Amino acid sequence: MVSNSEFLAFAARADTPDDALAQLSALRERYPDATHHCWAYVIGPAYRFHDDGEPGGTAGTPILRAIQGQGVDHVMVVVVRYYGGVNLGTGGLVRAYGGTAAECLRTAPRLEIRPRQAVTVHVPFEHVGAVYHALDTFDTVRGAEDYGADGLSMTVQLYPDAVDTFTATLRDATRGAAVTSLS
């Protein structure tokens, strides 16, 4: 509550601008009687913000700065305002919107997303056990498995810094029979 105005902040993951705008639409439906629904999103190099009727630069820009200040990506932040009858002035609006967004992001749970590298593994049948052991040893995400006449072919996802170690482990465990390639 700031000078009788109520500010509600919502932050959620958004992987595309359409995801972000769908969240905005849902919040407008959920709070149809709110005075303003100001917002900003950052998705990789793309960003956008909107003041929704507040004086220019007093809502969307401070929300965007809060996102950038927290160092988060793939996020949509919406601050819903219920006007309380007292004009806050431009400085007061900037502090209210930016502070509400920053506090929301500061206290929100975070999920770190690290990119993975796809690796294709080909191994004769007699070494399949070694491959499964290596998969359990490394932090992998298994993909498609194909059993052919000459053995197993499968795709796995690894963190890039583990690819060389994984490849060496497979080579050693299969006495050189495993063949890996980046997908």
Side-chain angles (χ1 to χ4, degrees), residues 155-176:
T155 304
V156 296
Q157 301 278 331
L158 296 154
Y159 292 121
D161 57 350
V163 171
D164 291 339
T165 307
F166 177 77
T167 300
T169 300
L170 280 182
R171 184 184 59 239
D172 293 346
T174 63
R175 292 184 221 102

Side-chain angles (χ1 to χ4, degrees), residues 1-7 82 84 100:
M1 198 72 96
V2 178
S3 297
N4 296 329
S5 285
E6 186 176 5
F7 292 85
Y82 286 93
T100 301

Side-chain angles (χ1 to χ4, degrees), residues 46-160:
Y47 65 91
R48 207 167 140 203
F49 55 91
H50 192 265
D51 294 318
D52 193 35
E54 292 286 22
T58 61
T61 301
I63 296 169
L64 178 63
R65 284 193 201 121
I67 293 170
Q68 293 167 332
Q70 293 291 320
V72 293
D73 192 5
H74 288 260
V75 67
M76 170 65 154
V77 176
V78 179
V79 178
V80 175
R81 178 185 184 194
Y82 286 93
Y83 181 65
V86 176
N87 289 333
L88 301 179
T90 57
L93 289 171
V94 168
R95 285 187 296 279
Y97 279 104
T100 301
E103 180 66 12
C104 175
L105 291 169
R106 188 184 67 72
T107 59
R110 295 186 186 206
L111 173 65
E112 180 180 355
I113 305 294
R114 291 178 49 198
R116 291 185 179 260
Q117 173 66 54
V119 176
T120 301
V121 178
H122 302 282
V123 64
F125 286 118
E126 63 265 21
H127 298 292
V128 168
V131 171
Y132 285 120
H133 178 72
L135 293 175
D136 290 338
T137 303
F138 288 84
D139 186 1
T140 62
V141 176
R142 295 181 191 186
E145 295 183 23
D146 181 36
Y147 289 91
D150 59 344
L152 169 66
S153 293
M154 72 182 326
T155 304
V156 296
Q157 301 278 331
L158 296 154
Y159 292 121

